Amino acid sequence: MTVLERPQPRPGVLKIQAYVPGKSSAPGVAKVFKLSSNETPLGASPAAMEAYAAVGKHLEDYPDGASHDLRDAIGKALGLDPARIVCGAGSDDILNLIARAYLKDGDEAIHTTHGFLVYPIATLGAGATPVIAPEKDFTADVDAILAKVTERTKVVFLANPNNPTGTYIPFDEVKRLHAGLPKHVLLVIDAAYAEYVRRNDYESGIELVATSENVVMTRTFSKIHGLAAARVGWAYCPPDVAMVLNQIRSPFNVSGPGMAAAIASLKDSAHTDRAVLHNEEWRNWLTREIRALGIGVTESAANFVLLHFGEEKGRGANDADDFLSGRRIILRRTAAYGLPDALRLTVGLEADNRAVVEALGAFVRGEPA
Ligand SMILES: Cc1ncc(COP(=O)(O)O)c(C=O)c1O
């Protein structure tokens, strides 16, 4: 027997490149325009904040481990069976639970080239191998995903819309992907930005989950509901998958204040409606104005846009990021997503959006920061 000097993790764990969150500050400056983390500029619903604070008066109490009231509230709001809903500490929690439950050493999980970074992290953490399917025009390509399926494939992760590209595939394409997968492969549709999408050919995945045994849809309260700090996410699952995820999740994986805030937020649809309208208006404005400066912008269905810069010295994405940081504007670098020449910009308040366009204009014109 080989004697090892210290405890050894699964080999995959050491291959993980740690997730680097968006920056939230710029050196030497106090107030910043933080447009780096896809948070809503409108904040949480006041009712959600009140509910959070009220439960926060009793931090000594364990939360309801089964998230009953939250599952009921989600079920009621979206017309879903609460028994098929599993809640988590953000949808990251659910994505990791799925990987732990359905992947083992030697298995493969597919995601697309610029797919959300938590997929390879969760896959490697479970001992499996992430397999990358190429995208077309920064968009998931169903044929390319299907071409990567082998007998080792157990999970396909599809962010729809995807972060950081903002692109989506229509429901017909999602159905075609599902139809092409063997029945034992779990299709995970990550619909973290679903509420923002206003396209007739989009569906978040509810219908497919309801009618098949190998599709899970994940959702979050971090984005349109503005509850990222509260860490509340959920999945809509076939009954067997719900049972499995409930077997392995931590018994109290969603906090009491977080659940209360999420329930209150679901009731405040005026707040989320406002967020959708604000986003639509300003995302379109940002896309138009930034393209007019000669910077490429990928068409987005979400609450952020991907900006493309050239490779010329002094004109690249990192140069633009440094320039913007000098003006207290923080965007997200996307090299870790295989996009070294791009930056991701989250839609902000009017003043933020105007400031970023103004600063990008100055960058393009070669003005001093
Ligand atoms: C595509 C996608 N999925 C899931 C998440 C995870 O969100 P949370 O864990 O806050 O629910 C994010 C957050 O950035 C995301 O962009």
Side-chain angles (χ1 to χ4, degrees), residues 65-88:
S67 306
H68 264 121
D69 294 349
L70 176 57
R71 289 189 295 110
D72 279 352
I74 295 168
K76 203 159 155 209
L78 280 90
L80 306 178
D81 175 4
R84 287 164 158 244
I85 295 170
V86 179
C87 296

Side-chain angles (χ1 to χ4, degrees), residues 19 37-38 89-93 95 116 118-119 159-164 190-193 218-223 227-228 231-234 304 332 337 344:
Y19 183 86
S37 296
N38 295 346
S91 50
D92 283 350
D93 186 20
L95 294 167
F116 183 47
V118 165
Y119 311 148
N160 205 33
N162 183 50
N163 169 21
D190 174 350
Y193 300 95
T218 59
R219 300 283 285 263
T220 182
F221 282 89
S222 300
K223 306 299 175 185
L227 294 173
R231 311 304 304 130
V232 189
W234 56 281
F304 53 88
R332 178 65 175 266
Y337 285 94
R344 191 192 68 195

